[in-house]
Amino acid sequence: QLQLRESGGGQVQTGGSLRLSCVKSGQTFSAHATGWFRQAPGKEREFVAAVTWNGRHTYYADFVKGRFTLSRDDDRLTVYLQMNNLKPEDTAVYYCATPRSTGPFSGTLLSLNDYHYWGQGTPVTVSS
């Protein structure tokens, strides 16, 4: 059973930075694609960023391009989301997730339905 645990959330002012971490346990880390999603109060969960199982391709939502960067540390079984130039509209609970299957994935990695395992989330608050 794959388990995911996010950390690194907190409260920052507009223009600040945070680095979120998603630590995996229970299965081989490097074989899964990983996605980050967020859910603001009263809104649906939305895609933020994803990396393919081999780390060769990354995808970003338009609203974070140029500000957020996703990276992996296979030795630490961790996927990071570096968030710079944060805005109040980035306030949300951030979740990492992986598909059920390992290796190449036939979906787009952009949809909630592509993912099976989820972490508990880490809250991010950006004040103006």
Side-chain angles (χ1 to χ4, degrees), residues 10-71:
Q11 184 168 354
V12 296
Q13 293 185 333
T14 297
S17 298
L18 286 172
R19 188 177 75 161
L20 306 184
S21 300
C22 173
V23 180
K24 302 182 179 182
S25 62
Q27 293 185 17
T28 303
F29 163 80
S30 59
H32 281 93
T34 304
W36 283 94
F37 288 76
R38 70 185 187 185
Q39 187 166 17
K43 295 187 177 180
E44 295 185 351
R45 195 169 297 189
E46 62 181 355
F47 170 78
V48 175
V51 59
T52 54
W53 70 281
N54 55 10
R56 291 180 181 176
H57 302 285
T58 53
Y59 306 95
Y60 297 93
D62 287 343
F63 53 78
V64 303
K65 284 181 180 178
R67 301 189 298 125
F68 292 11
T69 304
L70 194 154
S71 62

Side-chain angles (χ1 to χ4, degrees), residues 77-107:
L77 307 181
T78 303
V79 175
Y80 300 101
L81 184 68
Q82 177 67 43
M83 307 188 298
N84 298 327
N85 191 21
L86 283 162
K87 305 175 181 180
E89 51 264 43
D90 295 319
T91 295
V93 178
Y94 284 72
Y95 301 88
C96 67
T98 69
R100 180 191 295 271
S101 60
T102 60
F105 185 70
S106 59

